[in-house]
Amino acid sequence: MADLIARSMAEEKRDKTVKITPADVDFVEKSNNIFNLYEKDNAVGYYLLNGALTAGAGYYTTHHIPCVSGKQYSIRYAETQFGAFYTAQGEFISKIGTTSGTSSPFTFTAPTGASTMRVCGQKNKMSSDAVVEGAIYPSSSSASSYYTRIRRPLLSSDNPLAGKRVLFNGDSITAGAGWPSTAVLSPRNNTGWGIVIAERNGMSAAGYAVSGGTIAAGTYQSNGTTPRHWICRDIVNMDENADFIIFQGGINDYWLSVPIGAITTSYTAAFDDTTFCGALECIFKQAQLRWKAKKIGYIVTFKVKNTFDLINQNKSELYWKKAREICEKWSVPFLDLFTSSGLNFGLSEIVNEFSQQNGGVGDGCHPTEAGYKEYLLPKIEAWMKTL
């Protein structure tokens, strides 16, 4: 019995610390930037003396950034109207300042009672602006790095996207039309959900989407002579070095009445890439040969205003039905946003709140920043992790 007690006591005293070396995990360096570029409460415009948002397409205003009374904070430089302080209850306290000019950096102190602040800046500098504690503004910073530098360590065993390279190709929805972000994915200067997914998961990324793009070839701009972006013939222009390759498109094919065509009965038949079916098969075959053993996926577009008829199914659903069948034939995973996005542009209230404004009315096709973030981005990100 004495030996058993002694062994038990020795076991309790044994150092059970798990030692982790840098090679074991992909730690991400923490940033001192307290401005989150992807926070949904960021807004277009700037603030006046009473703390109310004022329209201004060339400016942006941050979300409510926590601050501490008496502490100093620094921004890139001062604008005539560049922010306000608020209490914990959201009540306006005072303007951050009224200095005009380009003094860089500009340092200010949070007043008594301040719990949060909203800072303004030039919209074309939004992706590289920072708000930092203290009187020293970093010589270089990137607000777009907020997620990858501030979130918890990315463990390769925990996150299948971490450290991987992703390519996106599609139409204006993939390109981020309706999204105000100034951060872009080269080489086509894409914005939108692709950027956020890449940043949040420590991925490198490239965007190849073009507004007005079609799955099929043979479509033209309104002048009848300028070719549109033909996704099926753009594969050769995409980076061969990739781990994830995501395609989205088809709504323009519907609008332009591209012939649906037919699904071939083999994997070696010739494809008519001027039809929707032939072009999508062509995309998948090229992709599977170009990126062997990589993660290839297709996104079925959500319900776009006036493009679906749930009774007769004689509109865009015909294209989406063929897209699902082609994905199954080629064993390509697909995310069916038409049936499961939650973003229903069949409702005018949703259209006007969550799609790009055109003459004061939502266009029912291009989601706003909130539309992308609240409805699409979480589902796309979660789906990509399953590929």
Side-chain angles (χ1 to χ4, degrees):
M1 177 62 73
D3 289 343
L4 179 60
I5 294 174
R7 286 198 301 272
S8 176
M9 294 177 63
E11 175 65 18
E12 288 298 321
K13 293 179 179 179
R14 185 172 63 84
D15 183 4
K16 299 179 182 179
T17 303
V18 177
K19 295 179 174 59
I20 300 176
T21 67
D24 292 328
V25 293
D26 298 322
F27 282 106
V28 180
E29 181 184 356
K30 183 177 179 180
S31 170
N32 63 348
N33 182 10
I34 55 177
F35 162 45
N36 180 350
L37 178 63
Y38 305 113
E39 170 63 47
K40 66 179 181 179
D41 291 331
N42 292 333
V44 177
Y46 58 90
Y47 277 81
L48 292 177
L49 186 60
N50 64 355
L53 184 67
T54 301
Y59 297 88
Y60 74 91
T61 296
T62 69
H63 55 95
H64 280 272
I65 299 174
C67 63
V68 178
S69 297
K71 281 195 174 183
Q72 289 185 313
Y73 299 89
S74 296
I75 56 179
R76 185 196 295 265
Y77 59 85
E79 293 288 340
T80 304
Q81 315 287 350
F82 58 92
F85 293 106
Y86 301 85
T87 67
Q89 291 72 40
E91 298 172 345
F92 171 69
I93 296 177
S94 65
K95 191 172 166 56
I96 286 180
T98 56
T99 301
S100 177
T102 57
S103 56
S104 179
F106 182 79
T107 299
F108 53 91
T109 302
T112 300
S115 179
T116 66
M117 57 187 173
R118 300 191 76 173
V119 179
C120 310
Q122 294 183 8
K123 191 177 173 190
N124 62 1
K125 295 183 175 67
M126 183 177 179
S127 62
S128 58
D129 273 350
V131 179
V132 298
E133 184 179 322
I136 300 177
Y137 188 85
S139 58
S140 64
S141 65
S142 175
S144 65
S145 295
Y146 177 90
Y147 271 107
T148 55
R149 295 171 64 192
I150 209 73
R151 69 197 300 266
R152 64 178 177 78
L154 299 169
L155 302 178
S156 57
S157 61
D158 182 49
N159 184 354
L161 305 183
K164 301 299 176 61
R165 180 162 179 78
V166 59
L167 312 180
F168 300 98
N169 203 339
D171 54 28
S172 57
I173 295 169
T174 319
W179 178 278
S181 173
T182 57
V184 297
L185 289 179
S186 297
R188 307 276 169 78
N189 293 337
N190 292 178
T191 61
W193 48 268
I195 289 176
V196 182
I197 289 175
E199 291 286 353
R200 285 196 347 187
N201 294 279
M203 307 180 81
S204 65
Y208 294 88
V210 178
S211 292
T214 54
I215 294 293
T219 58
Y220 295 87
Q221 302 289 354
S222 57
N223 61 17
T225 57
T226 304
R228 289 175 175 259
H229 172 55
W230 300 338
I231 301 169
C232 65
R233 297 189 186 179
D234 194 46
I235 310 299
V236 295
N237 299 316
M238 297 173 68
D239 191 348
E240 291 186 41
N241 176 30
D243 302 292
F244 289 80
I245 305 91
I246 307 300
F247 296 99
Q248 179 273 330
I251 195 63
N252 289 313
D253 298 76
Y254 160 72
W255 272 324
L256 295 167
S257 299
V258 168
I260 292 181
I263 302 173
T264 62
T265 57
S266 73
Y267 296 101
T268 57
F271 305 120
D272 181 358
D273 70 2
T274 63
T275 69
F276 180 77
C277 287
L280 193 56
E281 286 205 81
C282 184
I283 288 172
F284 292 160
K285 183 171 183 177
Q286 289 182 85
Q288 289 181 341
L289 294 176
R290 188 177 183 85
W291 297 287
K292 295 177 182 176
K294 302 302 180 180
K295 312 295 186 180
I296 300 167
Y298 176 75
I299 297 174
V300 177
T301 303
F302 49 84
K303 288 181 172 66
V304 174
K305 179 183 176 181
N306 296 331
T307 66
F308 55 94
D309 181 347
L310 298 180
I311 297 177
N312 300 310
Q313 291 192 332
N314 59 359
K315 293 191 176 184
S316 63
E317 298 101 304
L318 296 179
Y319 291 79
W320 305 143
K321 181 176 183 296
K322 290 297 183 181
R324 296 181 191 104
E325 292 175 4
I326 293 169
C327 286
E328 290 172 357
K329 172 186 174 179
W330 289 88
S331 300
V332 171
F334 64 93
L335 174 62
D336 193 350
L337 291 181
F338 186 85
T339 61
S340 62
S341 71
L343 183 61
N344 182 10
F345 282 153
L347 298 173
S348 60
E349 296 87 349
I350 300 298
V351 166
N352 291 330
E353 183 172 354
F354 291 103
S355 68
Q356 181 174 261
Q357 294 290 306
N358 184 5
V361 178
D363 67 8
C365 177
H366 304 103
T368 60
E369 182 175 356
Y372 282 110
K373 288 180 177 178
E374 300 297 330
Y375 288 99
L376 305 181
L377 191 153
K379 287 184 171 60
I380 296 172
E381 181 180 43
W383 167 71
M384 284 178 58
K385 291 179 179 181
T386 69
L387 295 180

